[in-house]
Amino acid sequence: LTSLPLLARGKVRDNYAVGDDRILMVASDRISAFDVIMGEPIPGKGALLTQMALWWFEQLKDIVPNHLTGDAPESVVVPGEVAQVQGRSMLVKRLQPIPVEAVVRGYLAGSGWKEYQDSRSVCGVPLPEGLQNASKLPAPIYTPAAKAAVGEHDENITFERTEQMIGPELAAKIRDVSIRLYERAAAIALAKGIIIADTKFEFGLDDAGQLVLMDEVLTPDSSRYWPADSYQEGSNPPSFDKQFLRDWLETAQVDGQPWAKSPPAPALPQ
Ligand code: C5P
């Protein structure tokens, strides 16, 4: 896009300024994991994930306000650039982002499963003995993470750490809202045969200091989607998301070094 000033080019999304109070978020077809952006895009990915996020925002809007302005993204670009934004963009309010990744887990997977094996807990939340990979948890748990500097991996942190970072009141509100959002979404998905094993929300504050859900929500880029009919505790479920890429990056080697484990992760060949 050339008709709007580029604010930031993220790993998969490009943000453009629309005046000083709105942002046009354009989801590309790029795929990334562990801060590695793959050279090969997935055609249609940006549009598909945008449509999923819009649908989820609608299902969740009575729990917490979200960043959508309700205006059409096409209305803020010149006619020649409409095709570049159509279906793959959101016109959103500019917020003050809160530096906490609000992860909720209903099942043990990924870094949750790794932490559990070491400590029988995740982010300081104690869990019962005897859980396996992919086990359903007795109740969903809130396991926040902190955004890391570019080139490093996000770090799982305790709830108490988030209290120090953003204050106890806001930290508790984000935890409580995130668990409610996850429970609502997980129930909707399960009725359609999909287990949302875990997910990540991001929040910001608006000018009035109100908590607002932002970014994208409940897409396979920010969540683990498992088909319920093949779910089996103790085994790696098929994952309709980017788990395949994480698994590959964790085992792929570059000069004898695992790709995802050698910061800064080397860029992939185009
Ligand atoms: O990798 P981990 O098990 O910590 O991820 C938990 C959940 O949070 C997954 O659904 C993952 O997609 C999501 N997540 C994310 N962005 C991050 C960290 C985790 O979307 N930076």
Side-chain angles (χ1 to χ4, degrees), residues 101 103 105 109-112 154 198-200 221-224 246:
E101 313 242 329
V103 175
R105 301 171 195 271
S111 74
D154 291 342
D198 51 27
T199 193
K200 179 229 22 171
D221 265 9
S222 62
S223 320
R224 291 194 169 93
R246 296 191 193 100

Side-chain angles (χ1 to χ4, degrees), residues 12 50 85-86 167 178 208 242:
V12 299
T50 299
V85 302
Q86 215 155 32
S178 298
K242 60 183 194 183

Side-chain angles (χ1 to χ4, degrees), residues 213-237:
L213 182 61
M214 57 179 234
D215 212 55
E216 50 100 290
V217 276
L218 289 153
T219 72
D221 265 9
S222 62
S223 320
R224 291 194 169 93
Y225 273 66
W226 297 345
D229 58 5
S230 51
Y231 171 71
Q232 219 187 338
E233 188 173 24
S235 70
N236 273 332

Side-chain angles (χ1 to χ4, degrees), residues 153-207:
H153 301 330
D154 291 342
E155 184 194 355
N156 284 356
I157 55 176
T158 61
F159 173 69
E160 290 70 29
R161 177 84 192 96
T162 68
E163 291 185 307
Q164 292 159 7
M165 288 165 66
I166 58 175
E169 209 173 308
L170 187 57
K173 185 158 190 194
I174 290 176
R175 175 195 59 197
D176 297 348
V177 164
S178 298
I179 289 178
R180 284 181 64 200
L181 292 171
Y182 171 80
E183 284 177 335
R184 164 87 57 89
I188 292 173
L190 194 57
K192 305 278 182 197
I194 295 286
I195 291 171
I196 298 180
D198 51 27
T199 193
K200 179 229 22 171
F201 302 107
E202 296 199 29
F203 296 90
L205 295 174
D206 67 12
D207 288 345

